Amino acid sequence: MVANGLPENMKFIFGKIMDTYQSIEDELSPEEKYRMPYLKNFIIDLVRAYNKEVKWREEGYVPATVEEHLQVSARSGACHLLSCASFVGMTDIATKEAFDWVSNVPKLVKTLCIILRLSDDLKSYEREKMTCHVASTIESCMKEHKVPIHVAREIIQDMIEETWKDFNKEWFNTNNHVPKELLERIFNLTRTMEFMYKQDDAYTNSHVIKDTISKLFVEHVLMI
């Protein structure tokens, strides 16, 4: 088995991932099971990105440009995987052509990945600097432009705004052949990432969105 050469703690994680994939596959009809290899390929790519970041951290390497950083870190945010995963349980509207499309990481997905990475780094930089953490896009920006941190933050924020423009352009692209129902999954993922990192790193400090989640999924709504 693939897991045989792994440490015990990683075997446990690997087993849970495989169990999750199996449970998803069990829910699919025979005609839909072709979808799972697409998802597994994204997991493989995600792990490769993680491994690259570990190497950067161990070597104390800071990518020379933000673009170089994003070639890895945009993938380690896993939004390309989430985009694919959001298609897996859908009806026949999620065709093989749709999975081929998302597996090529089109511009709509790519901009989602960049928005997540840059937004995350802006909110988590100080906390991560207190630990042995991989260099962030902020440090690459400082290195690339030879600027102090406050200027690098402004540049990264400007990059987020420009990436949103690219995202919106793709969203309104009338030549896109992908059904709107599928594009909406990616649109909603992007809005979620914007919300998660707007005020804080709510992925790490999840208590800050506790009330929002409670209002959405727990509290009763009075119908008048």
Side-chain angles (χ1 to χ4, degrees):
M1 289 181 61
V2 176
N4 286 342
L6 296 175
E8 287 303 316
N9 61 331
M10 293 185 70
K11 283 183 181 178
F12 176 80
I13 296 170
F14 182 81
K16 290 300 181 182
I17 292 173
M18 291 299 100
D19 289 346
T20 300
Y21 272 90
Q22 190 59 56
S23 65
I24 294 172
E25 188 167 355
D26 290 344
E27 293 291 325
L28 298 176
S29 69
E31 296 76 22
E32 295 172 333
K33 292 187 185 297
Y34 73 87
R35 300 174 176 185
M36 293 308 296
Y38 289 95
L39 201 54
K40 290 177 181 177
N41 286 338
F42 274 119
I43 276 285
I44 292 169
D45 183 71
L46 178 63
V47 172
R48 285 173 176 161
Y50 286 160
N51 285 338
K52 185 69 172 180
E53 288 187 339
V54 169
K55 185 178 180 182
W56 283 356
R57 186 196 66 186
E58 295 303 305
E59 295 176 353
Y61 178 68
V62 179
T65 66
V66 176
E67 178 59 34
E68 180 191 354
H69 199 294
L70 288 173
Q71 288 176 9
V72 175
S73 62
R75 291 154 49 212
S76 68
C79 283
H80 57 345
L81 183 151
L82 292 175
S83 298
C84 181
S86 71
F87 289 5
V88 171
M90 295 186 71
T91 60
D92 292 345
I93 197 167
T95 61
K96 185 179 184 303
E97 289 72 24
F99 281 92
D100 287 338
W101 175 80
V102 77
S103 69
N104 287 322
V105 192
K107 192 167 185 178
L108 196 71
V109 176
K110 191 175 296 183
T111 50
L112 157 61
C113 294
I114 293 172
I115 288 169
L116 175 277
R117 171 49 56 210
L118 297 179
S119 300
D120 181 346
D121 284 1
L122 275 182
K123 297 301 181 184
S124 63
Y125 178 76
E126 278 75 16
R127 173 181 56 79
E128 290 176 353
K129 286 299 291 180
M130 297 172 65
T131 63
C132 181
H133 204 278
V134 66
S136 78
T137 52
I138 293 177
E139 289 165 284
S140 287
C141 186
M142 293 167 66
K143 184 176 182 179
E144 178 180 359
H145 298 285
K146 298 179 175 57
V147 295
I149 183 172
H150 71 278
V151 176
R153 282 184 167 279
E154 292 172 359
I155 293 172
I156 294 294
Q157 185 61 54
D158 288 343
M159 290 181 67
I160 293 173
E161 297 300 324
E162 289 302 313
T163 307
W164 263 111
K165 292 177 184 177
D166 291 338
F167 180 89
N168 288 332
K169 184 177 179 180
E170 287 300 304
W171 171 248
F172 290 112
N173 182 4
T174 56
N175 294 321
N176 199 326
H177 65 282
V178 179
K180 207 68 172 178
E181 292 90 336
L182 299 178
L183 298 179
E184 284 174 351
R185 299 302 186 274
I186 299 169
F187 179 76
N188 287 332
L189 274 170
T190 312
R191 292 198 300 170
T192 299
M193 298 309 160
E194 168 82 4
F195 174 76
M196 291 283 285
Y197 292 96
K198 195 169 186 65
Q199 303 298 332
D200 197 351
D201 176 3
Y203 179 81
T204 302
N205 305 316
S206 55
H207 63 277
V208 302
I209 56 172
K210 178 181 177 181
D211 289 343
T212 301
I213 293 174
S214 179
K215 288 175 182 177
L216 285 172
F217 299 108
V218 179
E219 296 178 12
H220 294 291
V221 177
L222 294 177
M223 304 298 290
I224 300 176

